[in-house]
Amino acid sequence: MSKISLVTGSSRGLGRSAALALARHGHDVVITYQSREAQANEVVAEVEQLSGKAVALQLDAGNVAAFPDFSARLQAALARTWQRDRFDHLVNNAGHGEMAPIADMRVEAFDKLVDVHFKGVFFLTQHLLPLLADGGRIVNLSSGLTRVSAPGWAAYAAAKGAVEVLTVYLAKELGHRGIAVNTVAPGAIETDFLGGAVRDTPEFNKAFADMTALGRVGVPDDIGPMIASLLSEDNRWVNAQRIEVSGGQGI
C-alpha cells in the first residue's frame, strides 16, 4: 500500500519539489495551495505522470478558523481517492517572507508571520492528528536563520524558532503512537519567496552564497529530495531533530 503524504504549500517552490520527490519514492500526495489552483493541478498531473495518485485541496495555512472544513475535505478526498481514512505523512511547508528591522516591524506583518509559520502549524497539526496514521511522520519546515542571524529577519526567524520547539514537544507527545517529528531548516534558496529576492537579486544572491561553504545558494531540489529521504523507512529512527540543509551556511 502506498504511503500518502500531505505537503502544505506545494503548488510551487520547496513544497512542489518535496511533493515530486515523494512521488518518485512511490508516495501518493495531497497537494495544498492557497490561491494558485492551476499550478497545484499541474503538480497533480506531474505526480500522476510518475505513476502516483494525487489530489489538490485549497488551504489558507494562516486561517485557523478554516481548518475544520479543510479536515473534512481531506477526509472526503482520502475516502474518494484511496478508500482510506488516514494519511501517513504531514509536511508543514506553507509559508511566506516578511523582512523588516525590529524597529520597523509592523504589528500586522508580525501577526501574519506568526499566524502562518507558528499558529497555523500548531493548530493544523492538531486538527489533522485524528487523520494521521499511527507510525506516521511529521516534518516541519524551519530556516537556517534560526541559527545564523541576518538583519531584518528577526520576526520570521523567531516564528520558525517556535516551530523548532514545537517539533520537540510533538515528538514527545506523539511518541506513544509511533509518530516521529522532525524539523528541516533550509538555508537561502532560489524560489519566489520574498518576491524572488534570493533568486532574482544578484547582490542578495551573492551575499548568501558567500556565507555558504559550498559557495552558492540552494535550489528547491536541494531540499525536496532530502525531505523525501527523511520520510523513507531508512530514516525511521530519526526523531525530534533539527536538520539544517544549507550547504554549510555561516560556518
Side-chain angles (χ1 to χ4, degrees):
M1 182 184 298
S2 296
K3 298 291 186 182
I4 303 171
S5 298
L6 189 161
V7 184
T8 67
S10 44
S11 64
R12 55 181 176 154
L14 301 187
R16 174 182 177 276
S17 177
L20 295 179
L22 285 161
R24 293 186 189 100
H25 279 69
H27 296 224
D28 294 339
V29 190
V30 178
I31 309 297
T32 84
Y33 63 95
Q34 182 175 6
S35 59
R36 300 170 186 260
E37 183 177 7
Q39 285 183 293
N41 288 333
E42 289 174 3
V43 180
V44 169
E46 290 180 272
V47 170
E48 291 173 346
Q49 288 173 2
L50 294 166
S51 301
K53 292 182 181 180
V55 297
L57 299 176
Q58 195 279 334
L59 170 68
D60 181 349
N63 183 7
V64 172
F67 292 170
D69 174 69
F70 175 77
S71 298
R73 288 186 287 116
L74 172 61
Q75 192 165 21
L78 290 170
R80 181 176 62 251
T81 305
W82 288 280
Q83 294 76 53
R84 290 173 56 181
D85 59 3
R86 297 288 186 272
F87 70 103
D88 301 286
H89 303 140
L90 171 61
V91 181
N92 284 307
N93 163 78
H96 72 290
E98 187 74 38
M99 184 181 180
I102 293 170
D104 300 330
M105 175 58 66
R106 297 174 294 110
V107 171
E108 296 82 6
F110 181 93
D111 286 346
K112 187 175 181 182
L113 283 169
V114 172
D115 284 347
V116 172
H117 293 280
F118 178 52
K119 185 178 178 181
V121 171
F122 189 109
F123 287 104
L124 181 64
T125 303
Q126 179 194 74
H127 276 85
L128 296 184
L129 283 177
L131 302 181
L132 184 64
D134 289 353
R137 316 272 185 83
I138 299 172
V139 173
N140 296 321
L141 271 289
S142 181
S143 170
L145 290 165
T146 62
R147 182 182 62 82
V148 179
S149 62
W153 292 102
Y156 174 82
K160 289 299 193 182
V163 167
E164 293 181 8
V165 174
L166 174 62
T167 294
V168 175
Y169 277 82
L170 283 169
K172 184 69 171 179
E173 294 192 15
L174 300 179
H176 71 284
R177 292 181 53 188
I179 296 173
V181 189
N182 292 288
T183 297
V184 169
I189 307 291
E190 292 183 350
T191 66
D192 56 5
F193 182 82
L194 200 67
V198 172
R199 182 191 60 212
D200 301 332
T201 309
E203 58 270 27
F204 205 39
N205 189 294
K206 184 177 185 303
F208 278 106
D210 288 346
M211 294 171 60
T212 305
L214 292 178
R216 66 170 177 85
V217 298
V219 296
D221 283 344
D222 290 322
I223 309 301
M226 181 273 164
I227 293 172
S229 174
L230 183 60
L231 292 175
S232 75
E233 286 304 305
D234 292 339
N235 284 308
R236 65 182 181 272
W237 199 235
V238 180
N239 194 23
Q241 301 303 305
R242 177 193 186 273
I243 304 167
E244 185 166 316
V245 191
S246 68
Q249 184 173 296
I251 61 172

